Amino acid sequence: MKTLLIILAIFTTFFTPIKGLILIMILFILSDTALGIYTSIKLGGVESFKSHKLFNIVVKSFFYLTTIIMAFLIDKFILGGLLFGITHLLAKVMTAFWIYIEIKSLDESSMKLGNKSFWVLFKEFIDKLKSLKKDLNEIIEDKKE
């Protein structure tokens, strides 16, 4: 038991530089899973929720986290930790790619529930910010005159 704890401590210490990336990825996977379960039950009732679909979480989590760890190992041992002046760039890019896929999945689940796409909402938000900036600039120019 003591040996197992020592090995676990070694792995934990070694992967400390990317623990944030791993935790963010786990958070997105759990969010997508929760929304997927909610959407399935909301649209098809409790009968539509099947446990064998939940096994995909294990496969997806293992694949995502393994590729992030592999990218970290390439960053650390082949590239020396820096690429274009950014530490652990490959691990960060890999994480961003998987997060994009999870956001897309969240968006699809949300649209199944009748909501607007995240991207449409984001564009509308940016347009409102631009309009607000324009209004503020007009107010500032009016005060100067």
Side-chain angles (χ1 to χ4, degrees), residues 7-143:
I7 291 171
L8 185 64
I10 290 169
F11 277 112
T12 304
T13 303
F14 182 74
F15 292 119
T16 298
I18 60 166
K19 76 176 179 191
L21 299 177
I22 291 172
L23 290 175
I24 288 171
M25 195 69 247
I26 291 170
L27 178 69
F28 272 95
I29 292 169
L30 292 176
S31 300
D32 180 40
T33 302
L35 186 60
I37 291 170
Y38 175 76
T39 302
S40 175
I41 292 173
K42 184 86 171 171
L43 296 177
V46 177
E47 304 83 33
S48 68
F49 179 67
K50 306 289 182 201
S51 64
H52 71 273
K53 291 182 180 178
L54 286 178
F55 182 73
N56 291 336
I57 300 166
V58 175
V59 175
K60 180 170 50 171
S61 299
F62 178 76
F63 181 71
Y64 286 176
L65 298 178
T66 301
T67 55
I68 292 169
I69 289 169
M70 294 299 285
F72 168 69
L73 293 174
I74 291 169
D75 274 335
K76 185 163 183 73
F77 293 112
I78 295 176
L79 302 174
L82 281 176
L83 185 61
F84 302 117
I86 301 172
T87 59
H88 312 305
L89 180 63
L90 291 180
K92 291 174 182 178
V93 168
M94 188 65 63
T95 304
F97 179 71
W98 297 135
I99 286 174
Y100 171 76
I101 290 173
E102 289 301 302
I103 289 173
K104 191 69 179 148
S105 179
L106 285 163
D107 187 37
E108 290 168 0
S109 295
S110 177
M111 287 190 308
K112 284 180 186 175
L113 293 172
N115 299 322
K116 289 181 181 179
S117 171
F118 292 160
W119 312 116
V120 171
L121 292 173
F122 184 70
K123 184 180 181 314
E124 289 175 357
F125 177 71
I126 296 297
D127 290 342
K128 290 227 187 248
L129 287 178
K130 286 180 182 177
S131 173
L132 179 64
K133 181 182 175 188
K134 181 181 171 189
D135 292 344
L136 287 174
N137 285 338
E138 287 176 3
I139 291 172
I140 290 171
E141 287 182 15
D142 286 345
K143 278 190 170 184

